[in-house]
Amino acid sequence: MVYGYHRTSTKEQHLDRGIAEITKYCEEHNMKLEKVYTDQQTGKNFERARYIVLTEDVLRAGDILIITEIDRLGRTKQDTLNELRKLREKNVRVMVLELPTTLIDYSSIDNEMAKMMMETVNNMMIELYASMAEAEMHKKQKRQKEGYEALKARGEWDKLGRPVAIDYKKFCKEYEKVESGKKRPCEVMRDLKLNESTYYRYRKRYLAEHKKGE
C-alpha cells in the first residue's frame, strides 16, 4: 500500500500544496495512493494525532510512505532519524520527494557493493537534510526571540497580541502634565482608567523616547 503524509506547523498554513505534490508524483509513476494523512501542528515532536494513527494502526511491512520534504516529517534531527529507523525496522519504505536518492528502489540492485554504497549515500543525504531542518528551526526560534526582545526594549510588547490599554499618543499628552507638575500620576491613572502596571509601562516607554540622555 502507498500512503502519503504532510504536515504544516499551524492551521493558518495550507496543506493543499503538499497533498498535490504527493498525488501528482503517484499519478506520474503509476502508484496507487491510498490516502494522505495530515497534521497541522509543530514538528518538534511526533505526538501528532494523525501521524500516530498512520504509523501505529495503518502502515504495515512492505508499505510505502511518501512525504514531500524531511522537515514535513520532523524538525529535530535525532528524533527524525529515530523515526525513520523505526519505519525501516517495520519494513516500511520512506520516499522523500525532495531527495532523489530515496526514490530509488535499492532492492532491485543485484550488485551488493553498489547497493551498500547507494544506501550509504542515501543515509548521508537524509542526515544532512534532517540537520538542515533542525538548523532552520533553531534559526527561526532565534529570530522570533530577538523580535520579542526588541519589542520589549521599545516598549511595544502590546504588538505581540495583548490589547492596547489606550492610545499611546493620548498617554503622552497626559503624562506631559505630570512632567510639568500640572497632574499627579494617580490622576492620570484615574482619568485614563489605567492600572498601575500599565501606567508605568507606558511611562517607561515615554522616558526612553524623550530622555535618552539621562
Side-chain angles (χ1 to χ4, degrees):
M1 298 287 193
V2 180
Y3 297 94
Y5 178 75
H6 190 60
R7 177 193 64 79
T8 60
S9 298
T10 67
K11 294 187 184 299
E12 287 71 35
Q13 295 173 298
H14 298 295
L15 292 161
D16 302 11
R17 182 184 65 82
I19 295 173
E21 283 186 37
I22 294 170
T23 302
K24 181 181 178 183
Y25 180 85
C26 289
E27 289 174 350
E28 291 177 347
H29 293 80
N30 296 316
M31 301 171 72
K32 182 186 176 185
L33 180 63
E34 299 296 326
K35 185 176 181 178
V36 178
Y37 286 77
T38 62
D39 283 304
Q40 289 186 291
Q41 63 186 86
T42 179
K44 293 179 183 178
N45 59 62
F46 288 86
E47 296 301 313
R48 308 175 217 136
R50 300 305 292 163
Y51 183 78
I52 291 173
V53 169
L54 172 63
T55 54
E56 294 186 4
D57 301 331
V58 178
L59 289 172
R60 297 288 183 267
D63 286 348
I64 294 174
L65 175 61
I66 301 177
I67 58 176
T68 58
E69 302 159 277
I70 284 289
D71 63 3
R72 296 305 92 199
L73 186 65
R75 282 285 192 177
T76 56
K77 175 185 172 181
Q78 199 53 56
D79 287 348
T80 300
L81 294 178
N82 287 340
E83 200 64 25
L84 289 169
R85 176 182 53 77
K86 290 177 187 176
L87 290 167
R88 279 199 303 271
E89 290 174 352
K90 198 173 181 178
N91 198 25
V92 171
R93 181 184 169 197
V94 178
M95 298 173 67
V96 187
L97 300 186
E98 73 169 345
L99 276 172
T101 55
T102 67
L103 307 180
I104 302 170
D105 185 3
Y106 301 115
S107 63
S108 61
I109 300 176
D110 293 329
N111 188 305
E112 285 300 317
M113 180 59 73
K115 183 177 179 179
M116 183 178 70
M117 290 177 64
M118 288 299 293
E119 288 178 343
T120 300
V121 170
N122 185 45
N123 291 335
M124 288 173 62
M125 291 298 294
I126 288 174
E127 185 161 349
L128 172 62
Y129 274 68
S131 297
M132 290 167 61
E134 182 169 344
E136 182 60 32
M137 179 186 71
H138 289 316
K139 189 187 296 182
K140 184 178 179 181
Q141 290 175 336
K142 182 173 180 288
R143 286 197 299 261
Q144 189 178 54
K145 183 180 179 182
E146 289 172 347
Y148 288 167
E149 289 174 350
L151 283 174
K152 286 181 180 179
R154 293 197 303 268
E156 298 175 1
W157 183 251
D158 292 319
K159 290 184 179 179
L160 295 180
R162 183 169 58 189
V164 178
I166 60 164
D167 180 80
Y168 176 64
K169 290 181 180 178
K170 186 176 180 180
F171 172 83
C172 291
K173 189 177 292 185
E174 289 300 304
Y175 184 74
E176 284 167 2
K177 295 175 184 177
V178 175
E179 290 284 287
S180 64
K182 294 178 181 179
K183 269 191 173 185
R184 291 180 297 168
C186 61
E187 292 175 314
V188 173
M189 284 186 264
R190 181 197 63 208
D191 294 344
L192 296 180
K193 296 182 173 58
L194 295 176
N195 58 38
E196 190 172 334
S197 62
T198 303
Y199 170 83
Y200 283 103
R201 176 161 51 86
Y202 276 61
R203 175 180 177 273
K204 181 180 179 181
R205 178 179 172 183
Y206 178 93
L207 294 177
E209 291 179 358
H210 294 81
K211 298 190 176 183
K212 294 179 180 179
E214 292 187 4

